[in-house]
Amino acid sequence: MKKRKVGIMGGSFDPIHLGHLVVANEVLNIYNLDEIIFVPTGNPPHKDKLRADSFHRYMMVYMAVLSNDKFSVSDFEIRKNDKSYTVNTLKHFRQLYEDTDLYFITGADAIIELPHWHEAAEVIKLCKLVAVSRPGISMKEARQRIDEIENILGGTIEMLQVPMLQISSTDIRGRFEKGISAKYLLPESVEQYIMKNKLYKS
Ligand code: ATP
Ligand code: MG
């Protein structure tokens, strides 16, 4: 029987934007994945402060993926009170899905931090790591860094060139703070949700 292929995309999604969605769709197409699960982080070890609480971040992802039957959102990390580590999330999905290859999707900016992740060597064993291009990160430098990481940790990390969108949650939060339009950078439903709940007002 053909093995299922499931993509996992972790992130703070504070808020989710079109950069995340385009990346997910490209990886789905290129690796012929059956589905992609977005996993908003609860209390991320590497980010001191999130602006929107986990309920709102979950809701925004929920709305962003509503129209795509291959995308879904998991509350696995936000349900926990302790810090969320990718290694635990991957173990959870490995248990949940038998006969499935997991693809963990990150941007090039996130993957170069891999040596600092909790149990990084275990993370590489549990999934196929896919690092996608992101504006501001040179693919040549990222490739060199990834080669070093592969040497240290063992395992392989795939790099993928995807259509690049210079969009970040940090920039979007700044726009809502200043009252500058963020239209077309994120789904309209998410934009409306942010305004209705006054999420990024200082
Ligand atoms: P912030 O500015 O708050 O860090 P972000 O835009 O980087 O937000 P995250 O939630 O931190 O979004 O990112 C989740 C994952 O998506 C990370 O692996 C990140 O590298 C990737 N990612 C985010 N935006 C892009 C983008 N525009 N292009 C490619 N990858 C992206
Ligand atoms: Mg980020």
Side-chain angles (χ1 to χ4, degrees):
M1 206 177 78
K2 198 174 133 264
K3 260 193 168 182
R4 270 175 66 75
K5 298 194 223 170
V6 173
I8 309 281
M9 181 134 183
S12 39
F13 303 118
D14 191 18
I16 190 166
H17 53 68
L18 295 194
H20 299 125
L21 295 162
V22 166
V23 160
N25 194 48
E26 289 303 308
V27 176
L28 183 109
N29 289 339
I30 290 166
Y31 289 98
N32 205 8
L33 304 185
D34 294 288
E35 59 170 313
I36 291 189
I37 305 168
F38 291 76
V39 188
T41 188
N43 180 11
H46 301 299
K47 266 192 179 174
D48 299 327
K49 239 179 130 198
L50 288 168
R51 286 292 309 276
D53 74 36
S54 49
F55 170 78
H56 287 311
R57 291 183 291 105
Y58 174 88
M59 287 299 289
M60 290 190 280
V61 177
Y62 182 88
M63 286 188 300
V65 301
L66 196 58
S67 61
N68 189 331
D69 62 7
K70 294 197 167 167
F71 287 0
S72 63
V73 57
S74 162
D75 64 357
F76 176 73
E77 290 194 7
I78 68 161
R79 264 192 285 118
K80 299 165 121 216
N81 292 323
D82 51 346
K83 291 192 171 190
S84 28
Y85 291 116
T86 299
V87 69
N88 297 335
T89 304
L90 289 168
K91 283 179 183 165
H92 165 73
F93 285 106
R94 280 295 280 260
Q95 275 189 334
L96 208 61
Y97 298 113
E98 282 174 13
D99 279 328
T100 299
D101 282 332
L102 296 180
Y103 290 69
F104 192 80
I105 305 157
T106 73
D109 61 315
I111 201 67
I112 56 182
E113 299 297 325
L114 180 66
H116 306 293
W117 294 11
H118 187 61
E119 292 184 23
E122 187 65 18
V123 169
I124 290 203
K125 284 190 200 135
L126 287 164
C127 65
K128 289 189 199 300
L129 276 168
V130 181
V132 299
S133 51
R134 184 167 191 182
I137 308 283
S138 134
M139 282 303 259
K140 197 166 156 242
E141 278 168 34
R143 185 67 258 176
Q144 281 169 358
R145 186 80 190 99
I146 286 172
D147 288 344
E148 288 165 21
I149 296 171
E150 287 175 340
N151 285 337
I152 298 164
L153 299 176
T156 53
I157 299 165
E158 295 200 31
M159 284 191 78
L160 204 60
Q161 190 78 47
V162 296
M164 291 211 270
L165 291 174
Q166 193 160 2
I167 304 177
S168 72
S169 303
T170 302
D171 173 64
I172 292 174
R173 291 192 300 271
R175 287 169 186 249
F176 281 102
E177 257 165 41
K178 297 187 199 105
I180 298 167
S181 168
K183 267 192 195 309
Y184 317 118
L185 299 176
L186 71 177
E188 210 171 334
S189 55
V190 176
E191 186 194 356
Q192 285 168 355
Y193 185 93
I194 291 169
M195 290 194 293
K196 180 162 180 172
N197 293 286
K198 303 184 177 64
L199 289 191
Y200 300 114
K201 290 269 172 225
S202 44

